[in-house]
Amino acid sequence: MEDSTDSIAVDMETIYLGGKEHIIRTGHGCVSVILYGDEEKPPLITYPDVALNHMSCFQGLFFSPEAASLLLHNFCIYHITPPGHELGAASISPDVPVPSVDDLCDQILEVLNHFRLGAVMCMGAMAGAYLLTLFAIRYRDRVTGLILISPLCKAPSWTEWLYNKLMSNLLYYYGMCSLSKECLLQRYFSKEVRGTPEIPESDIVQACRKLLDERQSINVLRFLQAIHRRPDITQELEKLKCRTLIFVGDNSLFHSEALHMSEKLDRRFSALVEVQGCGSMVTEEQPHAMLVSLEYFLIGFGLYRPSESDGSPRSPLSPFSISPELLSPESLGLKLKPIKTRVLSRGGDSTCYSS
């Protein structure tokens, strides 16, 4: 593996609203990392799904005022972009070998080493969730916790295998055509927000469709091929001892896989949140449904929302001011059952919602 001691920092404030892009040279090619916040704070890394970057996968969550006051107050954010998925990316040469999921994990490790990061909090969606889970299995001392959105953990099912083959052929022969985009949008979103002949598609779907137009189809194909060849990591999940919080929409194409993963994880350290009427990309479709569970999850690490004395208004979701009725599944729009869990506080068990 090549040493990754050099990077190019590009000021992208006008594009990334205060973030800065770093192009990191790794042993498996260059990777774009968008950095937000104070580097003295604990690090949180993100990794998106196929054909997405942080703007199209995590923007809804991080641009929510409630989430911003929670996440940006506690973390410095490192958005890792899949190879060739950054804004303005050129097509990757066909002579460059398609990376394996192990190669992509090694690339994540090189990014952490470049920024001299120790153990990090991880947030990943679908394919990105698989990679960060694999990373946590391979490098357990480098991960403090996992926040996974509609994660994968098994090898592709026959349904996914056929879907991936269709997508691969479309991308190879026709590029990012209308049908390619429709297949990807079905992967990300529920039918309700994708619209019907009578009901127009939602703003988030329209925005995602426009962002897909910017992707180089060959680069998307390469990432899809890497994920398509992934091994089953189910048997290794029991090795995970870091705290893990899983979100999945009950209309997600990966709903059953997320449930399967939650059953294999150590229940002392994990919790599952099912979001009603939502597709795979909960971060974009229903980011508000993540807030309470996220806040309680982070309390277990000693992290809190800023108080009024910090100059920021206290969230109505704060554990010090939250009203009991707001914790009902009906109020949250969540399909949950209250349980006792040990993942949320040091002083004793706390009520959470999980499967």
Side-chain angles (χ1 to χ4, degrees), residues 41 61-62 64-75 287-322:
K41 293 182 178 180
L61 178 64
F62 281 90
S64 163
E66 294 290 348
S69 66
L70 175 64
L71 297 172
L72 296 178
H73 172 71
N74 287 297
F75 296 104
H288 60 278
M290 302 176 64
L291 291 174
V292 171
S293 298
L294 269 178
E295 187 153 14
Y296 275 88
F297 179 71
L298 295 178
I299 286 174
F301 297 90
L303 303 174
Y304 297 88
R305 190 182 301 280
S307 65
E308 293 178 5
S309 61
D310 296 324
S312 301
R314 179 171 295 285
S315 163
L317 300 180
S318 166
F320 300 108
S321 61
I322 192 165

mmCIF file of all heavy atoms in Angstrom, residues 41 61-62 64-75 287-322:
data_model
loop_
_atom_site.group_PDB
_atom_site.id
_atom_site.type_symbol
_atom_site.label_atom_id
_atom_site.label_comp_id
_atom_site.label_asym_id
_atom_site.label_seq_id
_atom_site.Cartn_x
_atom_site.Cartn_y
_atom_site.Cartn_z
ATOM 1 N N LYS A 41 -12.361 18.764 17.369
ATOM 2 C CA LYS A 41 -13.486 17.977 17.882
ATOM 3 C C LYS A 41 -13.355 16.516 17.448
ATOM 4 O O LYS A 41 -12.617 16.200 16.517
ATOM 5 C CB LYS A 41 -14.809 18.562 17.366
ATOM 6 C CG LYS A 41 -15.129 19.939 17.928
ATOM 7 C CD LYS A 41 -16.461 20.439 17.409
ATOM 8 C CE LYS A 41 -16.803 21.801 18.009
ATOM 9 N NZ LYS A 41 -18.100 22.311 17.522
ATOM 10 N N LEU A 61 -30.080 15.557 6.326
ATOM 11 C CA LEU A 61 -29.831 15.410 7.754
ATOM 12 C C LEU A 61 -28.966 16.540 8.288
ATOM 13 O O LEU A 61 -29.304 17.184 9.292
ATOM 14 C CB LEU A 61 -29.152 14.066 8.026
ATOM 15 C CG LEU A 61 -28.777 13.791 9.483
ATOM 16 C CD1 LEU A 61 -30.021 13.713 10.358
ATOM 17 C CD2 LEU A 61 -27.954 12.521 9.609
ATOM 18 N N PHE A 62 -27.860 16.824 7.630
ATOM 19 C CA PHE A 62 -26.914 17.805 8.154
ATOM 20 C C PHE A 62 -27.406 19.239 7.989
ATOM 21 O O PHE A 62 -26.928 20.135 8.685
ATOM 22 C CB PHE A 62 -25.547 17.634 7.484
ATOM 23 C CG PHE A 62 -24.749 16.500 8.050
ATOM 24 C CD1 PHE A 62 -24.860 15.224 7.523
ATOM 25 C CD2 PHE A 62 -23.903 16.687 9.135
ATOM 26 C CE1 PHE A 62 -24.129 14.168 8.049
ATOM 27 C CE2 PHE A 62 -23.176 15.639 9.664
ATOM 28 C CZ PHE A 62 -23.286 14.375 9.124
ATOM 29 N N SER A 64 -30.575 19.989 8.472
ATOM 30 C CA SER A 64 -31.643 20.162 9.446
ATOM 31 C C SER A 64 -31.092 20.924 10.643
ATOM 32 O O SER A 64 -30.064 20.541 11.204
ATOM 33 C CB SER A 64 -32.172 18.793 9.889
ATOM 34 O OG SER A 64 -32.902 18.900 11.084
ATOM 35 N N PRO A 65 -31.730 22.019 11.066
ATOM 36 C CA PRO A 65 -31.198 22.797 12.198
ATOM 37 C C PRO A 65 -31.000 21.960 13.449
ATOM 38 O O PRO A 65 -30.008 22.121 14.175
ATOM 39 C CB PRO A 65 -32.255 23.884 12.405
ATOM 40 C CG PRO A 65 -32.926 24.029 11.078
ATOM 41 C CD PRO A 65 -32.941 22.650 10.486
ATOM 42 N N GLU A 66 -31.937 21.041 13.724
ATOM 43 C CA GLU A 66 -31.812 20.202 14.912
ATOM 44 C C GLU A 66 -30.592 19.296 14.820
ATOM 45 O O GLU A 66 -29.824 19.148 15.770
ATOM 46 C CB GLU A 66 -33.080 19.356 15.088
ATOM 47 C CG GLU A 66 -34.331 20.164 15.408
ATOM 48 C CD GLU A 66 -34.286 20.755 16.799
ATOM 49 O OE1 GLU A 66 -33.414 20.353 17.589
ATOM 50 O OE2 GLU A 66 -35.111 21.635 17.094
ATOM 51 N N ALA A 67 -30.418 18.655 13.651
ATOM 52 C CA ALA A 67 -29.281 17.759 13.488
ATOM 53 C C ALA A 67 -27.970 18.530 13.470
ATOM 54 O O ALA A 67 -26.958 18.072 14.010
ATOM 55 C CB ALA A 67 -29.439 16.947 12.206
ATOM 56 N N ALA A 68 -27.972 19.695 12.828
ATOM 57 C CA ALA A 68 -26.751 20.496 12.764
ATOM 58 C C ALA A 68 -26.287 20.886 14.153
ATOM 59 O O ALA A 68 -25.091 20.822 14.469
ATOM 60 C CB ALA A 68 -26.990 21.725 11.892
ATOM 61 N N SER A 69 -27.238 21.296 15.021
ATOM 62 C CA SER A 69 -26.846 21.709 16.367
ATOM 63 C C SER A 69 -26.331 20.526 17.177
ATOM 64 O O SER A 69 -25.534 20.698 18.095
ATOM 65 C CB SER A 69 -28.034 22.360 17.088
ATOM 66 O OG SER A 69 -29.068 21.422 17.328
ATOM 67 N N LEU A 70 -26.768 19.320 16.827
ATOM 68 C CA LEU A 70 -26.314 18.123 17.539
ATOM 69 C C LEU A 70 -24.989 17.620 16.973
ATOM 70 O O LEU A 70 -24.017 17.406 17.717
ATOM 71 C CB LEU A 70 -27.378 17.031 17.427
ATOM 72 C CG LEU A 70 -27.031 15.666 18.023
ATOM 73 C CD1 LEU A 70 -26.843 15.772 19.538
ATOM 74 C CD2 LEU A 70 -28.126 14.652 17.689
ATOM 75 N N LEU A 71 -24.916 17.447 15.657
ATOM 76 C CA LEU A 71 -23.748 16.813 15.049
ATOM 77 C C LEU A 71 -22.571 17.776 14.911
ATOM 78 O O LEU A 71 -21.438 17.441 15.259
ATOM 79 C CB LEU A 71 -24.124 16.237 13.686
ATOM 80 C CG LEU A 71 -25.182 15.123 13.718
ATOM 81 C CD1 LEU A 71 -25.625 14.743 12.310
ATOM 82 C CD2 LEU A 71 -24.645 13.895 14.445
ATOM 83 N N LEU A 72 -22.831 18.985 14.404
ATOM 84 C CA LEU A 72 -21.730 19.922 14.196
ATOM 85 C C LEU A 72 -21.210 20.495 15.513
ATOM 86 O O LEU A 72 -20.072 20.948 15.587
ATOM 87 C CB LEU A 72 -22.166 21.047 13.262
ATOM 88 C CG LEU A 72 -22.522 20.598 11.842
ATOM 89 C CD1 LEU A 72 -22.996 21.775 11.001
ATOM 90 C CD2 LEU A 72 -21.334 19.919 11.169
ATOM 91 N N HIS A 73 -22.044 20.462 16.548
ATOM 92 C CA HIS A 73 -21.578 20.900 17.868
ATOM 93 C C HIS A 73 -20.584 19.904 18.456
ATOM 94 O O HIS A 73 -19.655 20.292 19.170
ATOM 95 C CB HIS A 73 -22.769 21.060 18.812
ATOM 96 C CG HIS A 73 -22.389 21.331 20.237
ATOM 97 N ND1 HIS A 73 -21.848 22.528 20.658
ATOM 98 C CD2 HIS A 73 -22.441 20.544 21.349
ATOM 99 C CE1 HIS A 73 -21.594 22.472 21.949
ATOM 100 N NE2 HIS A 73 -21.944 21.286 22.408
ATOM 101 N N ASN A 74 -20.779 18.626 18.148
ATOM 102 C CA ASN A 74 -19.981 17.573 18.784
ATOM 103 C C ASN A 74 -18.853 17.024 17.916
ATOM 104 O O ASN A 74 -17.925 16.424 18.451
ATOM 105 C CB ASN A 74 -20.893 16.412 19.192
ATOM 106 C CG ASN A 74 -21.765 16.741 20.388
ATOM 107 O OD1 ASN A 74 -21.265 16.985 21.484
ATOM 108 N ND2 ASN A 74 -23.077 16.774 20.183
ATOM 109 N N PHE A 75 -18.948 17.191 16.590
ATOM 110 C CA PHE A 75 -18.004 16.515 15.707
ATOM 111 C C PHE A 75 -17.383 17.456 14.683
ATOM 112 O O PHE A 75 -17.962 18.480 14.313
ATOM 113 C CB PHE A 75 -18.717 15.402 14.919
ATOM 114 C CG PHE A 75 -19.254 14.277 15.757
ATOM 115 C CD1 PHE A 75 -20.612 14.188 16.033
ATOM 116 C CD2 PHE A 75 -18.410 13.299 16.267
ATOM 117 C CE1 PHE A 75 -21.123 13.146 16.798
ATOM 118 C CE2 PHE A 75 -18.905 12.260 17.033
ATOM 119 C CZ PHE A 75 -20.264 12.186 17.300
ATOM 120 N N PRO A 287 -35.352 12.891 7.608
ATOM 121 C CA PRO A 287 -34.252 13.101 8.563
ATOM 122 C C PRO A 287 -34.745 13.424 9.971
ATOM 123 O O PRO A 287 -34.081 13.083 10.956
ATOM 124 C CB PRO A 287 -33.480 14.284 7.964
ATOM 125 C CG PRO A 287 -34.457 14.972 7.057
ATOM 126 C CD PRO A 287 -35.318 13.875 6.513
ATOM 127 N N HIS A 288 -35.929 14.061 10.095
ATOM 128 C CA HIS A 288 -36.456 14.394 11.421
ATOM 129 C C HIS A 288 -36.721 13.145 12.243
ATOM 130 O O HIS A 288 -36.688 13.188 13.475
ATOM 131 C CB HIS A 288 -37.754 15.190 11.265
ATOM 132 C CG HIS A 288 -38.820 14.450 10.526
ATOM 133 N ND1 HIS A 288 -38.858 14.392 9.143
ATOM 134 C CD2 HIS A 288 -39.866 13.704 10.960
ATOM 135 C CE1 HIS A 288 -39.898 13.664 8.769
ATOM 136 N NE2 HIS A 288 -40.519 13.226 9.849
ATOM 137 N N ALA A 289 -36.995 12.008 11.579
ATOM 138 C CA ALA A 289 -37.283 10.763 12.290
ATOM 139 C C ALA A 289 -36.041 10.164 12.942
ATOM 140 O O ALA A 289 -36.152 9.226 13.728
ATOM 141 C CB ALA A 289 -37.908 9.746 11.332
ATOM 142 N N MET A 290 -34.870 10.706 12.623
ATOM 143 C CA MET A 290 -33.621 10.179 13.163
ATOM 144 C C MET A 290 -33.195 10.893 14.442
ATOM 145 O O MET A 290 -32.345 10.378 15.184
ATOM 146 C CB MET A 290 -32.502 10.310 12.126
ATOM 147 C CG MET A 290 -32.770 9.605 10.796
ATOM 148 S SD MET A 290 -31.462 9.894 9.576
ATOM 149 C CE MET A 290 -30.046 9.105 10.344
ATOM 150 N N LEU A 291 -33.748 12.065 14.713
ATOM 151 C CA LEU A 291 -33.143 12.965 15.689
ATOM 152 C C LEU A 291 -33.147 12.424 17.112
ATOM 153 O O LEU A 291 -32.134 12.469 17.808
ATOM 154 C CB LEU A 291 -33.837 14.325 15.634
ATOM 155 C CG LEU A 291 -33.571 15.114 14.344
ATOM 156 C CD1 LEU A 291 -34.427 16.379 14.307
ATOM 157 C CD2 LEU A 291 -32.101 15.473 14.223
ATOM 158 N N VAL A 292 -34.308 11.952 17.577
ATOM 159 C CA VAL A 292 -34.379 11.504 18.968
ATOM 160 C C VAL A 292 -33.451 10.324 19.206
ATOM 161 O O VAL A 292 -32.683 10.292 20.182
ATOM 162 C CB VAL A 292 -35.836 11.146 19.340
ATOM 163 C CG1 VAL A 292 -35.883 10.484 20.707
ATOM 164 C CG2 VAL A 292 -36.714 12.391 19.332
ATOM 165 N N SER A 293 -33.502 9.329 18.317
ATOM 166 C CA SER A 293 -32.636 8.161 18.479
ATOM 167 C C SER A 293 -31.162 8.542 18.392
ATOM 168 O O SER A 293 -30.333 8.033 19.158
ATOM 169 C CB SER A 293 -32.968 7.113 17.409
ATOM 170 O OG SER A 293 -34.295 6.659 17.537
ATOM 171 N N LEU A 294 -30.832 9.454 17.486
ATOM 172 C CA LEU A 294 -29.447 9.917 17.377
ATOM 173 C C LEU A 294 -28.995 10.591 18.667
ATOM 174 O O LEU A 294 -27.889 10.348 19.152
ATOM 175 C CB LEU A 294 -29.305 10.903 16.212
ATOM 176 C CG LEU A 294 -28.935 10.365 14.838
ATOM 177 C CD1 LEU A 294 -28.896 11.501 13.822
ATOM 178 C CD2 LEU A 294 -27.609 9.635 14.875
ATOM 179 N N GLU A 295 -29.863 11.424 19.207
ATOM 180 C CA GLU A 295 -29.476 12.159 20.401
ATOM 181 C C GLU A 295 -29.223 11.215 21.580
ATOM 182 O O GLU A 295 -28.226 11.339 22.296
ATOM 183 C CB GLU A 295 -30.552 13.184 20.760
ATOM 184 C CG GLU A 295 -30.151 14.094 21.890
ATOM 185 C CD GLU A 295 -30.839 15.446 21.841
ATOM 186 O OE1 GLU A 295 -31.818 15.599 21.083
ATOM 187 O OE2 GLU A 295 -30.388 16.342 22.567
ATOM 188 N N TYR A 296 -30.105 10.263 21.768
ATOM 189 C CA TYR A 296 -29.920 9.319 22.860
ATOM 190 C C TYR A 296 -28.728 8.403 22.622
ATOM 191 O O TYR A 296 -28.029 8.005 23.563
ATOM 192 C CB TYR A 296 -31.201 8.516 23.084
ATOM 193 C CG TYR A 296 -32.179 9.230 23.967
ATOM 194 C CD1 TYR A 296 -33.104 10.115 23.434
ATOM 195 C CD2 TYR A 296 -32.141 9.065 25.346
ATOM 196 C CE1 TYR A 296 -33.993 10.799 24.247
ATOM 197 C CE2 TYR A 296 -33.021 9.740 26.169
ATOM 198 C CZ TYR A 296 -33.943 10.613 25.616
ATOM 199 O OH TYR A 296 -34.808 11.289 26.430
ATOM 200 N N PHE A 297 -28.492 8.046 21.372
ATOM 201 C CA PHE A 297 -27.319 7.239 21.032
ATOM 202 C C PHE A 297 -26.037 7.982 21.405
ATOM 203 O O PHE A 297 -25.118 7.403 22.007
ATOM 204 C CB PHE A 297 -27.346 6.936 19.532
ATOM 205 C CG PHE A 297 -26.180 6.129 19.026
ATOM 206 C CD1 PHE A 297 -26.047 4.782 19.341
ATOM 207 C CD2 PHE A 297 -25.218 6.703 18.200
ATOM 208 C CE1 PHE A 297 -24.981 4.033 18.851
ATOM 209 C CE2 PHE A 297 -24.159 5.966 17.713
ATOM 210 C CZ PHE A 297 -24.043 4.626 18.040
ATOM 211 N N LEU A 298 -25.968 9.265 21.087
ATOM 212 C CA LEU A 298 -24.750 10.039 21.348
ATOM 213 C C LEU A 298 -24.566 10.358 22.820
ATOM 214 O O LEU A 298 -23.440 10.562 23.279
ATOM 215 C CB LEU A 298 -24.764 11.323 20.517
ATOM 216 C CG LEU A 298 -24.710 11.108 18.992
ATOM 217 C CD1 LEU A 298 -24.770 12.440 18.259
ATOM 218 C CD2 LEU A 298 -23.458 10.332 18.588
ATOM 219 N N ILE A 299 -25.675 10.386 23.580
ATOM 220 C CA ILE A 299 -25.541 10.595 25.018
ATOM 221 C C ILE A 299 -24.676 9.496 25.631
ATOM 222 O O ILE A 299 -23.919 9.726 26.583
ATOM 223 C CB ILE A 299 -26.938 10.630 25.686
ATOM 224 C CG1 ILE A 299 -27.631 11.957 25.375
ATOM 225 C CG2 ILE A 299 -26.825 10.452 27.198
ATOM 226 C CD1 ILE A 299 -29.069 12.020 25.862
ATOM 227 N N GLY A 300 -24.756 8.283 25.071
ATOM 228 C CA GLY A 300 -23.933 7.179 25.559
ATOM 229 C C GLY A 300 -22.447 7.419 25.398
ATOM 230 O O GLY A 300 -21.629 6.753 26.043
ATOM 231 N N PHE A 301 -22.079 8.373 24.549
ATOM 232 C CA PHE A 301 -20.669 8.735 24.358
ATOM 233 C C PHE A 301 -20.324 10.030 25.095
ATOM 234 O O PHE A 301 -19.237 10.589 24.896
ATOM 235 C CB PHE A 301 -20.364 8.896 22.866
ATOM 236 C CG PHE A 301 -20.531 7.639 22.064
ATOM 237 C CD1 PHE A 301 -21.743 7.325 21.474
ATOM 238 C CD2 PHE A 301 -19.467 6.758 21.896
ATOM 239 C CE1 PHE A 301 -21.900 6.161 20.743
ATOM 240 C CE2 PHE A 301 -19.620 5.593 21.151
ATOM 241 C CZ PHE A 301 -20.838 5.289 20.583
ATOM 242 N N GLY A 302 -21.256 10.507 25.900
ATOM 243 C CA GLY A 302 -21.016 11.745 26.629
ATOM 244 C C GLY A 302 -21.181 12.982 25.788
ATOM 245 O O GLY A 302 -20.660 14.054 26.132
ATOM 246 N N LEU A 303 -21.923 12.881 24.675
ATOM 247 C CA LEU A 303 -22.101 14.000 23.758
ATOM 248 C C LEU A 303 -23.522 14.533 23.883
ATOM 249 O O LEU A 303 -24.485 13.766 23.941
ATOM 250 C CB LEU A 303 -21.833 13.559 22.322
ATOM 251 C CG LEU A 303 -20.438 12.949 22.071
ATOM 252 C CD1 LEU A 303 -20.342 12.415 20.663
ATOM 253 C CD2 LEU A 303 -19.353 13.985 22.317
ATOM 254 N N TYR A 304 -23.652 15.856 23.893
ATOM 255 C CA TYR A 304 -24.951 16.484 24.110
ATOM 256 C C TYR A 304 -25.147 17.630 23.123
ATOM 257 O O TYR A 304 -24.189 18.174 22.573
ATOM 258 C CB TYR A 304 -25.072 17.041 25.530
ATOM 259 C CG TYR A 304 -25.006 15.990 26.603
ATOM 260 C CD1 TYR A 304 -23.778 15.580 27.133
ATOM 261 C CD2 TYR A 304 -26.158 15.402 27.092
ATOM 262 C CE1 TYR A 304 -23.718 14.602 28.122
ATOM 263 C CE2 TYR A 304 -26.117 14.426 28.076
ATOM 264 C CZ TYR A 304 -24.894 14.034 28.584
ATOM 265 O OH TYR A 304 -24.833 13.070 29.554
ATOM 266 N N ARG A 305 -26.408 18.005 22.974
ATOM 267 C CA ARG A 305 -26.730 19.198 22.202
ATOM 268 C C ARG A 305 -26.286 20.423 22.997
ATOM 269 O O ARG A 305 -26.334 20.417 24.224
ATOM 270 C CB ARG A 305 -28.245 19.234 21.960
ATOM 271 C CG ARG A 305 -28.684 20.306 20.962
ATOM 272 C CD ARG A 305 -30.205 20.302 20.826
ATOM 273 N NE ARG A 305 -30.698 19.008 20.373
ATOM 274 C CZ ARG A 305 -30.685 18.613 19.111
ATOM 275 N NH1 ARG A 305 -30.200 19.417 18.185
ATOM 276 N NH2 ARG A 305 -31.162 17.433 18.772
ATOM 277 N N PRO A 306 -25.840 21.502 22.322
ATOM 278 C CA PRO A 306 -25.417 22.700 23.061
ATOM 279 C C PRO A 306 -26.563 23.279 23.867
ATOM 280 O O PRO A 306 -27.717 23.256 23.452
ATOM 281 C CB PRO A 306 -24.969 23.667 21.956
ATOM 282 C CG PRO A 306 -25.637 23.169 20.713
ATOM 283 C CD PRO A 306 -25.713 21.687 20.867
ATOM 284 N N SER A 307 -26.236 23.812 25.039
ATOM 285 C CA SER A 307 -27.247 24.392 25.919
ATOM 286 C C SER A 307 -27.415 25.872 25.610
ATOM 287 O O SER A 307 -26.681 26.465 24.818
ATOM 288 C CB SER A 307 -26.831 24.213 27.375
ATOM 289 O OG SER A 307 -25.647 24.957 27.633
ATOM 290 N N GLU A 308 -28.381 26.487 26.284
ATOM 291 C CA GLU A 308 -28.635 27.914 26.070
ATOM 292 C C GLU A 308 -27.430 28.757 26.437
ATOM 293 O O GLU A 308 -27.167 29.789 25.848
ATOM 294 C CB GLU A 308 -29.847 28.341 26.896
ATOM 295 C CG GLU A 308 -31.150 27.712 26.420
ATOM 296 C CD GLU A 308 -32.326 28.106 27.283
ATOM 297 O OE1 GLU A 308 -32.134 28.949 28.189
ATOM 298 O OE2 GLU A 308 -33.420 27.581 27.063
ATOM 299 N N SER A 309 -26.659 28.302 27.428
ATOM 300 C CA SER A 309 -25.485 29.067 27.850
ATOM 301 C C SER A 309 -24.399 29.071 26.797
ATOM 302 O O SER A 309 -23.499 29.887 26.824
ATOM 303 C CB SER A 309 -24.926 28.487 29.153
ATOM 304 O OG SER A 309 -24.532 27.127 28.956
ATOM 305 N N ASP A 310 -24.489 28.109 25.825
ATOM 306 C CA ASP A 310 -23.521 28.076 24.735
ATOM 307 C C ASP A 310 -23.899 29.034 23.622
ATOM 308 O O ASP A 310 -23.211 29.113 22.610
ATOM 309 C CB ASP A 310 -23.415 26.657 24.156
ATOM 310 C CG ASP A 310 -22.881 25.659 25.168
ATOM 311 O OD1 ASP A 310 -22.013 26.053 25.952
ATOM 312 O OD2 ASP A 310 -23.337 24.501 25.155
ATOM 313 N N GLY A 311 -25.002 29.713 23.777
ATOM 314 C CA GLY A 311 -25.409 30.653 22.745
ATOM 315 C C GLY A 311 -26.315 30.040 21.709
ATOM 316 O O GLY A 311 -26.688 30.697 20.746
ATOM 317 N N SER A 312 -26.698 28.769 21.871
ATOM 318 C CA SER A 312 -27.585 28.114 20.922
ATOM 319 C C SER A 312 -28.865 27.730 21.646
ATOM 320 O O SER A 312 -28.826 27.277 22.785
ATOM 321 C CB SER A 312 -26.935 26.847 20.351
ATOM 322 O OG SER A 312 -25.734 27.162 19.702
ATOM 323 N N PRO A 313 -30.012 27.915 21.010
ATOM 324 C CA PRO A 313 -31.266 27.545 21.668
ATOM 325 C C PRO A 313 -31.325 26.053 21.902
ATOM 326 O O PRO A 313 -30.902 25.267 21.065
ATOM 327 C CB PRO A 313 -32.334 27.988 20.651
ATOM 328 C CG PRO A 313 -31.621 28.015 19.338
ATOM 329 C CD PRO A 313 -30.207 28.424 19.651
ATOM 330 N N ARG A 314 -31.827 25.656 23.086
ATOM 331 C CA ARG A 314 -31.934 24.232 23.393
ATOM 332 C C ARG A 314 -33.005 23.605 22.526
ATOM 333 O O ARG A 314 -34.077 24.142 22.326
ATOM 334 C CB ARG A 314 -32.264 24.027 24.861
ATOM 335 C CG ARG A 314 -32.398 22.548 25.218
ATOM 336 C CD ARG A 314 -32.517 22.341 26.705
ATOM 337 N NE ARG A 314 -31.320 22.742 27.412
ATOM 338 C CZ ARG A 314 -30.197 22.019 27.416
ATOM 339 N NH1 ARG A 314 -30.134 20.901 26.752
ATOM 340 N NH2 ARG A 314 -29.146 22.433 28.082
ATOM 341 N N SER A 315 -32.695 22.459 21.998
ATOM 342 C CA SER A 315 -33.648 21.742 21.168
ATOM 343 C C SER A 315 -34.822 21.258 22.000
ATOM 344 O O SER A 315 -34.667 20.835 23.134
ATOM 345 C CB SER A 315 -32.944 20.541 20.547
ATOM 346 O OG SER A 315 -33.879 19.619 20.057
ATOM 347 N N PRO A 316 -36.033 21.276 21.427
ATOM 348 C CA PRO A 316 -37.159 20.661 22.131
ATOM 349 C C PRO A 316 -36.998 19.158 22.256
ATOM 350 O O PRO A 316 -37.745 18.517 22.975
ATOM 351 C CB PRO A 316 -38.357 21.013 21.229
ATOM 352 C CG PRO A 316 -37.773 21.280 19.890
ATOM 353 C CD PRO A 316 -36.424 21.880 20.163
ATOM 354 N N LEU A 317 -36.006 18.601 21.551
ATOM 355 C CA LEU A 317 -35.733 17.172 21.652
ATOM 356 C C LEU A 317 -34.679 16.874 22.704
ATOM 357 O O LEU A 317 -34.268 15.742 22.873
ATOM 358 C CB LEU A 317 -35.257 16.625 20.300
ATOM 359 C CG LEU A 317 -36.236 16.786 19.135
ATOM 360 C CD1 LEU A 317 -35.616 16.202 17.879
ATOM 361 C CD2 LEU A 317 -37.550 16.112 19.437
ATOM 362 N N SER A 318 -34.198 17.904 23.404
ATOM 363 C CA SER A 318 -33.179 17.699 24.420
ATOM 364 C C SER A 318 -33.674 16.771 25.512
ATOM 365 O O SER A 318 -34.829 16.832 25.912
ATOM 366 C CB SER A 318 -32.794 19.045 25.040
ATOM 367 O OG SER A 318 -32.058 18.838 26.221
ATOM 368 N N PRO A 319 -32.797 15.882 26.027
ATOM 369 C CA PRO A 319 -33.234 14.985 27.092
ATOM 370 C C PRO A 319 -33.645 15.716 28.363
ATOM 371 O O PRO A 319 -34.306 15.145 29.210
ATOM 372 C CB PRO A 319 -31.994 14.112 27.342
ATOM 373 C CG PRO A 319 -30.854 14.878 26.785
ATOM 374 C CD PRO A 319 -31.406 15.643 25.633
ATOM 375 N N PHE A 320 -33.282 16.993 28.500
ATOM 376 C CA PHE A 320 -33.632 17.729 29.699
ATOM 377 C C PHE A 320 -34.974 18.446 29.571
ATOM 378 O O PHE A 320 -35.508 18.936 30.544
ATOM 379 C CB PHE A 320 -32.542 18.748 30.034
ATOM 380 C CG PHE A 320 -31.214 18.102 30.261
ATOM 381 C CD1 PHE A 320 -30.195 18.238 29.326
ATOM 382 C CD2 PHE A 320 -30.971 17.326 31.386
ATOM 383 C CE1 PHE A 320 -28.959 17.634 29.534
ATOM 384 C CE2 PHE A 320 -29.737 16.721 31.587
ATOM 385 C CZ PHE A 320 -28.739 16.874 30.656
ATOM 386 N N SER A 321 -35.502 18.531 28.333
ATOM 387 C CA SER A 321 -36.756 19.255 28.183
ATOM 388 C C SER A 321 -37.777 18.489 27.372
ATOM 389 O O SER A 321 -38.838 19.007 27.080
ATOM 390 C CB SER A 321 -36.488 20.599 27.489
ATOM 391 O OG SER A 321 -35.938 20.391 26.203
ATOM 392 N N ILE A 322 -37.462 17.257 26.982
ATOM 393 C CA ILE A 322 -38.353 16.500 26.123
ATOM 394 C C ILE A 322 -39.601 16.074 26.879
ATOM 395 O O ILE A 322 -39.538 15.694 28.043
ATOM 396 C CB ILE A 322 -37.610 15.267 25.548
ATOM 397 C CG1 ILE A 322 -38.418 14.635 24.421
ATOM 398 C CG2 ILE A 322 -37.318 14.241 26.616
ATOM 399 C CD1 ILE A 322 -37.595 13.668 23.594
#
